[in-house]
Amino acid sequence: MPGTRGAAAAAAAAAVLALTAGCGMLGLGEDAEESDADRLVEMLNESNRVDAELSAAEFRIVEQCLEAEGYTVHEPWMMQSYEPEEQESLTDYYPHETFLIDPEEAAEYGFGQWANSPDGWEDPAAEDYYAAEEEEYEDEGTWEEPDSTEWDALSPEDQYGWYVAYQGQEYAEWQYGTAQDYADMMSGEGEWAEDAVEEPSSDSTEEEDTSDEAVEEEGSIDFEEDDMGPEPKPGGCQLEMIEALYGEPELVEETYEGEGGAEESYSYWTYRPENPAWADEALWEDIEADYAAQMADLQDELIDCITGKGYEGWEFDQYNSLPVYEFFNTLYYQNASEEEQDMMLGDTEAVVPPLPDEAGDSYEDWKAYEIQTAVDFAACGEESGYADASEKAYEDAHVTAYAAIEQDVYAWQEDMRDAISKAQELLDA
């Protein structure tokens, strides 16, 4: 049973913590450090399994409610469960990977930014580059689209009725307009709103008041406001599920510094308690700060090395990376229109070196300069042992940060298992 497994996991973790309290976290042995990392990886994997199981239970409760109202065919995108992927480490990337490329890859493709430039799109070599990139990531798992055959066979009236039953009349009208609007849209006679709105997932949507980006949160309801007005409180069968498992949903409003320093805001409805490992923004700030402190001397050494090779003005950004993306976009788009430059360069806080004369003045020159830059950066990385040190520092920073919230995560897992048990009781009733 989930609860029994969770109790055992928590007890085992507590025992390991007791054994390692005086040694593992103080770095008194590589085996102890590996044990800490392995335990925390399993903690994250168990969290992913619990989340997937709870999401599936939520879907089943909603489906049971909809079927009681006569809706036996469900919108497949909103009712799609997922299989959690097993993590093998606490992080799936390292900050140095964007600017320290494998020497052979650097000599052939540079950083790959030339393939994303206006002239690069016409470069025959771009096809080989993209094929190599696709081959590199093809083993990372595939995602299959749900079968929508039955749903597509429904009339627009029945589909709209399903949306009303799912999230309530007010929400359906906010999302799709009236039933006639939806029917016109599906027949091709109507038009989508000027600012297209992505369909929300069944348990997660979010609103942006003045921003085009949505911030996804587990157990929240994503939406964009644009010209549609604030998202209404969820209703229908979704609200019944929320109230049965978690109580009343809560509207959360947050502010942030927007373009030009102006204060902007977004809001979202939330109902499921968030995993501390996902929700704590300070966690990621602590990881980056810890990592930066460990790498400070090597970062200075790397800058000295690349400066000695003629690359002046480079600085590490807030993400402990060198801004190669921003620099080479500036290089390739220097003659583009202002609109294209804004689209590709955007609003970045990175300090980009001035474009050097030796970069040349043609696409061929720029591409050659990029490749040579990647080769020289890689050489400096190998001379300093930067990559190996970076991997260890980043993993150590993750161990420290996750260990600090470990007991909070176990408590969250138990709360979610209680919700799963409650969901099963509702389904069996």
Side-chain angles (χ1 to χ4, degrees), residues 20 23-25 28-37 39:
T20 60
C23 54
M25 293 309 296
L28 299 182
E30 186 175 345
D31 291 342
E33 291 181 2
E34 290 176 353
S35 176
D36 291 338
R39 184 186 74 252

Side-chain angles (χ1 to χ4, degrees), residues 286-344:
D286 291 344
I287 289 173
E288 293 296 331
D290 186 355
Y291 171 81
Q294 294 184 66
M295 295 297 294
D297 290 342
L298 271 179
Q299 287 182 353
D300 290 341
E301 184 178 337
L302 188 70
I303 292 295
D304 289 343
C305 180
I306 64 176
T307 301
K309 291 182 180 293
Y311 302 97
E312 298 183 353
W314 286 87
E315 298 180 14
F316 279 90
D317 61 23
Q318 60 182 321
Y319 304 108
N320 293 295
S321 179
L322 294 178
V324 294
Y325 174 85
E326 293 86 351
F327 174 81
F328 285 104
N329 263 351
T330 301
L331 180 68
Y332 289 115
Y333 282 85
Q334 60 182 289
N335 298 323
S337 67
E338 184 176 344
E339 182 179 358
E340 287 179 309
Q341 290 181 356
D342 288 342
M343 179 180 67
M344 295 306 298

Side-chain angles (χ1 to χ4, degrees), residues 221-239:
I221 304 166
D222 298 335
F223 58 93
E224 295 179 18
E225 180 177 345
D226 293 326
D227 296 329
M228 298 174 63
E231 182 197 47
K233 177 182 176 180
C237 287
Q238 185 182 47
L239 180 60

Side-chain angles (χ1 to χ4, degrees), residues 43-122:
M43 176 190 75
L44 296 181
N45 282 328
E46 178 62 12
S47 292
N48 292 337
R49 290 189 288 266
V50 168
D51 180 78
E53 187 175 353
L54 182 53
S55 294
E58 291 175 355
F59 292 151
R60 290 197 300 272
I61 291 174
V62 171
E63 288 177 351
Q64 189 178 73
C65 171
L66 289 167
E67 288 168 6
E69 296 188 25
Y71 295 97
T72 58
V73 175
H74 306 294
E75 211 274 35
W77 293 96
M78 290 186 174
M79 297 289 109
Q80 187 179 26
S81 298
Y82 71 96
E83 291 293 330
E85 293 187 7
E86 289 288 309
Q87 293 183 219
E88 296 182 357
S89 64
L90 294 175
T91 180
D92 57 2
Y93 82 99
Y94 299 96
H96 66 271
E97 292 177 337
T98 59
F99 60 90
L100 293 182
I101 310 298
D102 174 80
E104 291 186 6
E105 181 180 347
E108 185 171 7
Y109 298 121
F111 298 108
Q113 290 306 304
W114 55 270
N116 298 318
S117 69
D119 294 302
W121 297 333
E122 307 299 328

Side-chain angles (χ1 to χ4, degrees), residues 138-151:
E138 67 181 2
D139 295 331
E140 292 192 358
T142 57
W143 179 80
E144 295 183 0
E145 293 187 2
D147 183 0
S148 62
T149 304
E150 290 187 288
W151 173 261

Side-chain angles (χ1 to χ4, degrees), residues 135-417:
E135 182 178 353
E136 180 179 351
Y137 295 107
E138 67 181 2
D139 295 331
E140 292 192 358
T142 57
W143 179 80
E144 295 183 0
E145 293 187 2
D147 183 0
S148 62
T149 304
E150 290 187 288
W151 173 261
D152 294 339
L154 294 178
S155 68
E157 292 75 17
D158 286 340
Q159 290 181 356
Y160 189 83
W162 185 94
Y163 288 123
V164 171
Y166 172 47
Q167 290 178 300
Q169 182 71 44
E170 186 180 4
Y171 196 99
E173 290 183 1
W174 176 84
Q175 185 85 56
Y176 303 108
T178 65
Q180 187 60 54
D181 291 334
Y182 183 80
D184 291 343
M185 179 182 66
M186 296 304 292
S187 68
E189 297 178 6
E191 296 182 359
W192 289 98
E194 181 178 349
D195 296 309
V197 178
E198 296 181 359
E199 288 188 346
S201 63
S202 63
D203 67 341
S204 166
T205 57
E206 176 179 290
E207 172 187 17
E208 292 281 357
D209 287 341
T210 53
S211 171
D212 290 335
E213 296 181 0
V215 181
E216 296 184 0
E217 298 202 22
E218 186 64 37
S220 62
I221 304 166
D222 298 335
F223 58 93
E224 295 179 18
E225 180 177 345
D226 293 326
D227 296 329
M228 298 174 63
E231 182 197 47
K233 177 182 176 180
C237 287
Q238 185 182 47
L239 180 60
E240 288 190 25
M241 177 274 293
I242 293 170
E243 292 176 335
L245 295 183
Y246 309 106
E248 283 293 312
E250 177 185 1
L251 180 64
V252 178
E253 299 183 9
E254 297 187 6
T255 60
Y256 62 96
E257 185 176 314
E259 195 172 330
E263 185 177 276
E264 300 184 2
S265 65
Y266 67 91
S267 60
Y268 56 91
W269 288 94
T270 184
Y271 57 84
R272 185 201 296 178
E274 286 191 272
N275 184 344
W278 303 333
D280 190 353
E281 184 176 340
L283 176 78
W284 311 112
E285 295 175 353
D286 291 344
I287 289 173
E288 293 296 331
D290 186 355
Y291 171 81
Q294 294 184 66
M295 295 297 294
D297 290 342
L298 271 179
Q299 287 182 353
D300 290 341
E301 184 178 337
L302 188 70
I303 292 295
D304 289 343
C305 180
I306 64 176
T307 301
K309 291 182 180 293
Y311 302 97
E312 298 183 353
W314 286 87
E315 298 180 14
F316 279 90
D317 61 23
Q318 60 182 321
Y319 304 108
N320 293 295
S321 179
L322 294 178
V324 294
Y325 174 85
E326 293 86 351
F327 174 81
F328 285 104
N329 263 351
T330 301
L331 180 68
Y332 289 115
Y333 282 85
Q334 60 182 289
N335 298 323
S337 67
E338 184 176 344
E339 182 179 358
E340 287 179 309
Q341 290 181 356
D342 288 342
M343 179 180 67
M344 295 306 298
L345 303 179
D347 184 17
T348 176
E349 298 179 8
V351 177
V352 178
L355 300 180
D357 292 338
E358 51 267 35
D361 55 11
S362 69
Y363 166 71
E364 289 75 16
D365 291 340
W366 300 335
K367 180 180 178 181
Y369 182 78
E370 178 190 339
I371 290 175
Q372 188 60 52
T373 302
V375 168
D376 289 340
F377 278 26
C380 284
E382 288 195 326
E383 289 176 20
S384 62
Y386 193 97
D388 290 341
S390 171
E391 288 187 11
K392 185 178 186 307
Y394 210 53
E395 289 168 358
D396 288 349
H398 277 74
V399 167
T400 300
Y402 280 123
I405 62 169
E406 187 172 7
Q407 295 308 311
D408 292 336
V409 174
Y410 290 135
W412 174 86
Q413 289 177 0
E414 286 305 303
D415 288 343
M416 297 307 98
R417 291 191 186 96

